[in-house]
Amino acid sequence: MKKLLNFLRSMRFGIVLLILIAALSVVGSVIPQERAAAWYAEAYPAWHTLLLALRLNRVFKSWYFLALLSLLCLNLTLCSLLRALAVFCGPQTLVEGCARMKTLVQLTPEGLTKLEQHLQSTGCRMTDCGGARVWHKRLYGRFGSFLTHLAILLTILVGAAALYLPQVVDLDCMPGESVVLPAKNGGTARFAVSDFRVTDASGRLDYTSALTVTLPDGRSKSGEISVNHPLSFGSYKVYQQSYGTAGSVTVTNLENDGSDVFLLAELSFLSLDNVNGLWYVALYPDYIVTASGERMPVSNAGGGYPRPIYHVQLAENGEQTLRFLVPGDTVEVGTLRFTFNEPVNYPGLRIKITPTAVNALLVVGFVLMLLGLTLLFFLPPVLVRVDGEGYAVGGAKSEGTRLELKTLLKDCEREAYA
Amino acid sequence: MNALFFVVLGLYFVAVVLQFSAAAFKKEKLAGLSWPVFVAAFALHTLFLVLRGVIARRLPLSNQFEFACAFAWGIALLLIVLRVKVKAVWLSVAAMPAALLILSYAALQPREITELMPALRSAWFGIHIGSAVFAYSAFVLAGCVSLRYLRMKKQGTADELKLQQMDYLSYRLVGFGFLFLTVVILSGAIWAEQAWSAFWTWDPKETWALITWIIYAVYLHLRLRRKKDAAFLAWYLIVAIPVVLFTFAGVNTLLPGLHSYA
């Protein structure tokens, strides 16, 4: 049991796990992930069966990849626990431990003076420990490695939660309309878009929606969202995800003169009696006029809708008539008049529902990792024991200090016996 | 702007030629001449990046050309810092060609100044991509130090203390690069969550940044274990350079993903 525990917490095991994770990541990046099985059959005809059997089409969700990550977490937990014992001793214990070291480099008296002057000038403090003087600084640096490993562990665990816990919904919302989502604990959350623009004040592309989020408890928050600027409220976060262009048709009832504007993005039938009316089929960005004077829709490689044209079918008394109409055109079917307007852009929203604590914990993990790495690489502790004979460098990350002193005192060494 | 770019490229080329001529013909004077030329190239390189930033009204880091220019600048900056701080004169012969090669790659890329796409207009833009410049530069320089380590060890032109210092310098460079690569990955995760709603999507660029991170994490642990000798670790850092270069340029070209615009 002890042998197994030692193996699981060992650096060697950690290194093997890291190499395996990196190797699988290479595979996962080279083979496109999460496509349909037919795609792999076409792209890799010779070995798609093996590829699918080994789950190389979804490496990052495969049981073996998740098992490796779990083992890495176990390795990090065990080595962090072990490390905690070493780093959570007080500074005095470290100083006393260093004082108990044997002199490793013997120096001439001039060398000793030079050494202590150097240590003093570099900001080290001296503690007298029964005959030996221990010079030290930045003892907090000992937390670097521990913090880094702990933060990596936290990041993997919370990162997994951040990847798999959120509920994500993509939906389109026409300006002036709203969409509702059922909330987990009953009630509904409402997302209303009052305006949508595809350019900012200076004319640059910048997709912006004016949005109001109303939580199930009635509280609401308004704001603008754009790419990189989502709106957070409660456990909801709303992103400017995409945009589309919808047809706009004003329908007037000739009997009572009442009219309404309909924004249409998909096949729809506008009718009073479900028999006579107008089928909205599609909106095209551009058109050409044929020799016979008919309009023919064409695509627009440059993007946008420079000369939009509506593809509609008029349904009247059981007969269907295909028509291509442009903004400004009007048709009448029965008692309804359809006036075609300029198309309207609408936003595609992404609504993410995440427990608030997950994001906060992840950011804590990130901050701890950067703090740990900074301590580890830039602020390592310095511990030097000096007596009448020479000196010894203590501490876990002592290589820099050892080399620095060796370079400084190479002409003052009497005998280096270690 | 184009003329200034090619002047910079030309000066780096002259510096490298002088450096290699000095080594080939054992003329120290030529090496002495190479350094001021290199520093002049670096000064003009800095001016070029500043001017491009002023004209574009943003940090010049938005495409392969701009990033490669900044990458080469990062290598040159770190080389200058190391020459001043630790008198690493011996590093020039390996690091100068590295800067020149990266800038030559930039010369092959489209050089137009383009407007930032909405997804890139973020406060994280400078932190995320700027950190990548320093991370990649440090890793390439660590490889250059290792190259010199192996060469000087083989030639017997450095004593044991000097070799230990070189080995430690490559470790420090990896530590520096590792911290910055961590900033790249973490800031990228936060940015991705704001722009695309997910911290991590296993996009090829993200994945290769992680692979690079793991490769250097393994180096740091191997060095800690001290089971491998310094020569092995030096070879390791040299072999790791192509991975860094693949993460920088190869991924964008060969593995399409969310970062393909870069």
Side-chain angles (χ1 to χ4, degrees):
Chain A
M1 187 64 190
K2 198 177 174 191
K3 259 190 173 178
L4 177 69
L5 205 64
N6 280 342
F7 172 72
L8 287 175
R9 77 179 182 202
S10 68
M11 194 188 291
R12 183 193 299 188
F13 183 53
I15 290 173
V16 170
L17 289 173
L18 284 174
I19 291 170
L20 289 174
I21 289 170
L24 285 175
S25 299
V26 172
V27 174
S29 70
V30 172
I31 299 174
Q33 298 289 290
E34 313 232 12
R35 305 269 177 100
W39 187 90
Y40 294 99
E42 196 178 324
Y44 308 98
W47 58 287
H48 75 276
T49 320
L50 180 68
L51 185 149
L52 295 175
L54 293 176
R55 292 179 168 265
L56 298 181
N57 60 329
R58 33 188 300 137
V59 167
F60 303 114
K61 288 180 180 167
S62 64
W63 64 266
Y64 48 83
F65 191 78
L66 296 178
L68 285 176
L69 281 182
S70 307
L71 286 171
L72 185 67
C73 286
L74 180 67
N75 176 260
L76 283 167
T77 309
L78 293 173
C79 85
S80 295
L81 283 174
L82 191 73
R83 222 179 284 263
L85 299 174
V87 298
F88 278 103
C89 60
Q92 192 55 36
T93 315
L94 283 179
V95 171
E96 284 165 3
C98 182
R100 284 194 293 273
M101 288 178 74
K102 276 200 262 179
T103 299
L104 293 177
V105 183
Q106 291 190 326
L107 292 178
T108 59
E110 297 78 38
L112 282 171
T113 313
K114 195 175 175 184
L115 168 66
E116 296 205 277
Q117 277 173 351
H118 172 76
L119 290 169
Q120 194 169 19
S121 69
T122 52
C124 289
R125 286 189 299 149
M126 195 265 285
T127 304
D128 226 323
C129 288
R133 296 179 297 283
V134 176
W135 292 84
H136 55 88
K137 68 174 177 181
R138 295 194 304 249
L139 295 183
Y140 53 81
R142 68 187 186 279
F143 291 106
S145 183
F146 172 73
L147 272 182
T148 304
H149 287 81
L150 192 70
I152 293 172
L153 177 64
L154 184 66
T155 302
I156 295 175
L157 292 175
V158 184
L163 273 182
Y164 300 112
L165 280 187
Q167 186 190 339
V168 177
V169 183
D170 287 339
L171 38 84
D172 298 330
C173 186
M174 297 295 164
E177 296 181 3
S178 62
V179 289
V180 290
L181 280 182
K184 217 175 183 179
N185 305 325
T188 54
R190 179 176 294 275
F191 305 87
V193 174
S194 56
D195 187 28
F196 175 66
R197 304 184 302 272
V198 293
T199 51
D200 65 10
S202 63
R204 285 193 313 178
L205 267 185
D206 192 17
Y207 313 99
T208 307
S209 300
L211 180 80
T212 301
V213 179
T214 308
L215 297 182
D217 63 10
R219 286 181 299 141
S220 69
K221 182 179 180 180
S222 298
E224 286 198 336
I225 59 167
S226 57
V227 183
N228 282 316
H229 299 97
L231 180 76
S232 290
F233 191 40
S235 55
Y236 295 90
K237 203 163 186 177
V238 190
Y239 296 83
Q240 178 61 56
Q241 176 72 6
S242 60
Y243 83 103
T245 305
S248 168
V249 184
T250 304
V251 184
T252 309
N253 187 340
L254 297 172
E255 284 184 336
N256 58 16
D257 240 15
S259 70
D260 211 345
V261 177
F262 290 84
L263 300 179
L264 307 163
E266 56 193 23
L267 186 69
S268 318
F269 188 46
L270 301 172
S271 168
L272 280 176
D273 54 8
N274 270 336
V275 177
N276 298 314
L278 178 136
W279 280 99
Y280 171 90
V281 181
L283 173 72
Y284 293 96
D286 204 354
Y287 64 91
I288 52 169
V289 180
T290 62
S292 57
E294 288 174 356
R295 294 167 181 151
M296 285 293 293
V298 292
S299 59
N300 172 34
Y305 285 72
R307 291 195 308 167
I309 183 165
Y310 290 91
H311 174 190
V312 297
Q313 301 237 30
L314 307 181
E316 195 162 23
N317 303 322
E319 285 190 15
Q320 301 255 347
T321 317
L322 170 76
R323 297 285 296 270
F324 290 108
L325 301 164
V326 296
D329 284 352
T330 297
V331 289
E332 288 183 12
V333 180
T335 59
L336 294 179
R337 177 191 294 147
F338 301 93
T339 306
F340 292 84
N341 309 314
E342 287 294 334
V344 171
N345 291 322
Y346 63 91
L349 305 177
R350 169 163 288 185
I351 300 167
K352 191 170 88 166
I353 307 152
T354 328
T356 325
V358 172
N359 287 3
L361 271 176
L362 203 54
V363 173
V364 168
F366 290 177
V367 172
L368 284 181
M369 203 187 305
L370 294 180
L371 181 66
L373 287 170
T374 307
L375 290 177
L376 187 61
F377 294 123
F378 296 101
L379 300 165
V382 174
L383 274 163
V384 183
R385 175 194 185 276
V386 184
D387 60 15
E389 295 284 302
Y391 73 92
V393 180
K397 304 275 173 223
S398 59
E399 188 181 1
T401 312
R402 194 171 48 77
L403 274 175
E404 184 190 339
L405 297 183
K406 207 169 174 183
T407 310
L408 179 80
L409 304 164
K410 64 180 171 186
D411 300 328
C412 311
E413 284 184 20
R414 273 197 292 178
E415 185 189 4
Y417 55 88
Chain B
M1 283 296 282
N2 269 348
L4 182 57
F5 172 76
F6 284 105
V7 167
V8 172
L9 190 63
L11 282 175
Y12 278 129
F13 179 73
V14 170
V16 170
V17 168
L18 286 172
Q19 190 67 237
F20 275 106
S21 306
F25 305 115
K26 307 260 185 272
K27 300 264 187 200
E28 278 306 306
K29 256 189 181 177
L30 288 178
L33 203 60
S34 160
W35 185 243
V37 174
F38 184 81
V39 173
F42 173 76
L44 289 177
H45 194 167
T46 309
L47 178 68
F48 170 76
L49 289 173
V50 170
L51 285 178
R52 191 167 171 104
V54 169
I55 293 169
R57 302 174 74 172
R58 56 171 168 75
L59 287 172
L61 296 169
S62 79
N63 53 35
Q64 282 278 290
F65 170 74
E66 291 178 350
F67 188 88
C69 282
F71 186 2
W73 179 84
I75 293 174
L77 174 70
L78 286 181
L79 174 61
I80 290 172
V81 169
L82 290 179
R83 281 213 31 165
V84 172
K85 283 265 292 181
V86 293
K87 313 274 182 285
V89 179
W90 45 267
L91 184 55
S92 303
V93 74
M96 282 183 186
L100 176 67
L101 282 176
I102 301 290
L103 205 62
S104 303
Y105 170 76
L108 302 174
Q109 304 299 315
R111 290 187 290 278
E112 294 85 39
I113 294 177
T114 49
E115 194 173 277
L116 274 188
M117 55 192 292
L120 293 181
R121 283 183 227 135
S122 163
W124 294 105
F125 175 70
I127 299 168
H128 178 62
I129 308 172
S131 302
V133 167
F134 287 109
Y136 294 175
S137 304
F139 291 147
V140 168
L141 267 191
C144 293
V145 172
S146 301
L147 208 64
R148 294 298 293 144
Y149 172 92
L150 291 171
R151 183 92 182 131
M152 288 168 84
K153 189 176 181 182
K154 193 176 174 193
Q155 289 177 329
T157 49
D159 59 19
E160 191 51 38
L161 180 59
K162 174 105 177 168
L163 288 174
Q164 282 181 22
Q165 285 169 337
M166 291 170 84
D167 174 49
Y168 184 64
L169 180 61
S170 52
Y171 162 76
R172 291 294 306 262
L173 281 166
V174 169
F176 178 83
F178 193 76
L179 174 65
F180 275 95
L181 185 60
T182 309
V183 173
V184 173
I185 293 172
L186 300 186
S187 61
I190 295 174
W191 187 5
E193 203 274 337
Q194 283 186 0
W196 303 323
S197 76
F199 286 101
W200 194 262
T201 53
W202 295 108
D203 173 67
K205 194 83 170 178
E206 291 173 356
T207 308
W208 275 88
L210 178 69
I211 291 166
T212 310
W213 191 87
I214 289 177
I215 282 172
Y216 284 97
V218 168
Y219 164 83
L220 292 169
H221 285 87
L222 285 176
R223 200 172 185 286
L224 209 61
R225 288 186 76 216
R226 298 215 170 274
K227 288 275 166 72
K228 300 288 180 190
D229 68 359
F232 172 85
L233 294 171
W235 275 113
Y236 187 103
L237 290 183
I238 293 166
V239 172
I241 292 180
V243 179
V244 174
L245 296 181
F246 185 76
T247 305
F248 152 55
V251 173
N252 299 53
T253 330
L254 300 173
L255 306 172
L258 290 167
H259 285 79
S260 292
Y261 51 79

